[in-house]
Amino acid sequence: MEIKLQPLNLPGVETKRPLIIAGPCSAETEEQVMTTATALAQRGIKVFRAGIWKPRTKPGGFEGVGAEGLPWLQRVKRELGMLVSTEVATPRHVEAALGADVDLLWIGARTVANPFAMQELADALRGADVPVLVKNPVNPDIELWIGGLERIHGAGIGRLGVIHRGFSSYDKRIYRNLPMWHIPIELRRRIPGLPIICDPSHIGGRRELIAPLCQQAMDLGFEGLIVESHCTPDCAWSDAAQQVTPDVLDFILDKLVVRDAALTTESISQLRQQIDECDNALIELLARRMRISREIGQYKKEHNMTVVQTSRYNEILDKRSAQGVLCGMSESFMKTVFEAIHEESIHQQFDIYSK
Ligand code: PEP
Ligand code: MN
């Protein structure tokens, strides 16, 4: 299904990169919302975020203040002139948020992982003129992410964007959610022009990672950042470890180097031409290797030998990895490449065996 995008078109917000959305993980009290939003507005932030309904992993945590917090967002709009945004997870949330004139909605990672929930949200959004940001699903499934976008788009929402918030994993040594940057990059290739907003707070899970993640998102040419910011982060009722004060956010944004996503120069074109030539040579070499592989397959078949001989496979993996390391590549990269080549080789030989 083709997705026809319209610009997000946020009134009063400059279209130049990066679009910044900031605010607390959750709206907790009217005072916390107003204090945080005032400090952000003073630092030039135009779009405020605050979760009103919070999906929590386990029961018993703070699940958001609910509709009671919507008038606080209306105060932020009225008194500070900011646009406001919140997460919607059910049709009831959509109805309440639209009724309170929330300017921008986002759909959370757990919701996007559920096609039934996405379809219900899409049905509830039909006919609304509101920009919607679809977070990546918790699992690294690009088709599910695109499917969610298609459902929302199918309900007539053209002002669409995505939030890259990283992917759940058992290993939380560095990141709370693995960035797996290649997934949003592939999404942009599949849906050109789709605005990608990076959420360093949920990727990082801790304050120290916010600045480097923001910079990486800019280095990749993403359109914006959604950052959790709280007037007193250590006292936050949810996601305390990853929130930064408006002052720290201001400092991070000030240091950010925003690189040009469209710029190309003569020198880079020449270097890219050299890359193209290398890739062509690689493909030809791989094809030659596969032809030899097929010949070996023919020989093995005639001599009643098995397709894989583990000792030979181990020897290739070890030798090639060591050679690659000497040439400045990582061992894990070399293993990945040669495992893939070997797998294709086996397919080619299976083909010979089946004839
Ligand atoms: C959030 O943005 O506060 C949130 C709950 O995010 P996610 O859906 O990415 O976990
Ligand atoms: Mn949060």
Side-chain angles (χ1 to χ4, degrees):
M1 185 193 290
E2 199 203 339
I3 294 187
K4 286 207 184 71
L5 295 166
Q6 287 156 14
L8 288 179
N9 199 10
L10 304 172
V13 181
E14 276 185 88
T15 48
K16 80 174 204 322
R17 286 172 62 232
L19 164 65
I20 307 290
I21 304 171
C25 176
S26 311
E28 299 163 4
T29 64
E30 184 163 5
E31 196 195 342
Q32 168 252 8
V33 164
M34 291 311 296
T35 308
T36 307
T38 305
L40 290 168
Q42 280 166 354
R43 287 161 185 78
I45 305 294
K46 300 275 194 295
V47 190
F48 184 71
R49 66 149 280 158
I52 293 283
W53 301 279
K54 301 299 299 177
R56 306 316 302 275
T57 304
K58 289 183 180 153
F62 172 58
E63 299 200 317
V65 289
E68 186 196 329
L70 290 170
W72 310 341
L73 296 187
Q74 288 173 315
R75 245 191 99 187
V76 170
K77 276 179 80 138
R78 204 170 52 237
E79 294 178 22
L80 302 169
M82 296 174 96
L83 301 185
V84 294
S85 61
T86 200
E87 170 173 346
V88 288
T90 69
R92 195 172 50 83
H93 299 163
V94 171
E95 196 188 324
L98 294 178
D101 281 329
V102 171
D103 303 283
L104 171 73
L105 305 177
W106 82 80
I107 305 177
R110 292 160 195 77
T111 310
V112 184
N114 177 352
F116 289 126
M118 287 306 279
Q119 191 55 52
E120 284 187 3
L121 283 180
D123 295 340
L125 282 163
R126 193 172 295 282
D129 179 21
V130 67
V132 177
L133 301 177
V134 177
K135 282 198 162 193
N136 64 258
V138 278
N139 49 329
D141 184 340
I142 194 171
E143 301 305 331
L144 195 57
W145 198 358
I146 294 175
L149 283 163
E150 286 178 354
R151 286 180 200 276
I152 303 300
H153 181 260
I157 304 287
R159 294 158 73 196
L160 265 186
V162 294
I163 298 175
H164 165 234
R165 53 77 82 193
F167 302 89
S168 214
S169 87
Y170 188 68
D171 177 0
K172 301 209 186 309
R173 266 173 301 181
I174 301 180
Y175 299 107
R176 179 176 174 192
N177 291 290
L178 299 180
M180 305 179 90
W181 297 103
H182 57 286
I183 298 182
I185 290 169
E186 172 62 9
L187 183 69
R188 143 150 322 154
R189 198 184 64 77
R190 298 267 295 267
I191 310 176
L194 181 67
I196 303 183
I197 315 293
C198 179
D199 173 348
S201 311
H202 291 90
I203 296 176
R206 37 195 184 104
R207 258 159 239 158
E208 315 83 84
L209 291 178
I210 307 300
L213 285 165
C214 287
Q215 187 58 56
Q216 279 179 296
M218 288 303 100
D219 293 347
L220 289 171
F222 290 2
E223 274 67 29
L225 301 165
I226 178 166
V227 187
E228 287 189 343
S229 178
H230 190 292
C231 52
T232 48
D234 288 329
C235 307
W237 297 1
S238 59
D239 289 352
Q242 70 195 31
Q243 305 207 52
V244 294
T245 60
D247 251 343
V248 168
L249 176 65
D250 193 44
F251 179 81
I252 293 173
L253 296 178
D254 203 48
K255 292 267 169 302
L256 209 59
V257 183
V258 181
R259 305 186 200 277
D260 192 325
L263 190 70
T264 48
T265 61
E266 184 53 30
S267 338
I268 202 137
S269 311
Q270 279 173 14
L271 288 170
R272 283 182 175 153
Q273 218 173 330
Q274 290 180 40
I275 288 277
D276 289 348
E277 284 164 20
C278 284
D279 286 350
N280 287 339
L282 269 175
I283 293 168
E284 273 171 33
L285 262 181
L286 282 172
R288 198 172 120 207
R289 195 185 190 283
M290 292 308 155
R291 281 196 297 275
I292 300 173
S293 206
R294 290 178 77 91
E295 258 181 65
I296 294 181
Q298 192 62 41
Y299 181 89
K300 285 185 194 157
K301 185 181 173 190
E302 283 161 13
H303 292 79
N304 219 15
M305 293 159 77
T306 58
V307 167
V308 183
Q309 291 180 324
T310 309
S311 55
R312 168 67 180 157
Y313 180 38
N314 280 337
E315 183 195 316
I316 289 192
L317 279 186
D318 292 345
K319 280 203 180 143
R320 306 297 187 262
S321 299
Q323 275 173 277
V325 170
L326 285 178
C327 297
M329 290 172 282
S330 74
E331 190 178 336
S332 70
F333 169 69
M334 294 308 293
K335 283 229 152 73
T336 308
V337 168
F338 277 91
E339 274 165 9
I341 291 177
H342 189 252
E343 194 182 329
E344 176 62 16
S345 224
I346 290 175
H347 282 308
Q348 299 273 345
Q349 297 192 358
F350 273 161
D351 189 45
I352 302 280
Y353 274 55
S354 68
K355 286 199 171 118

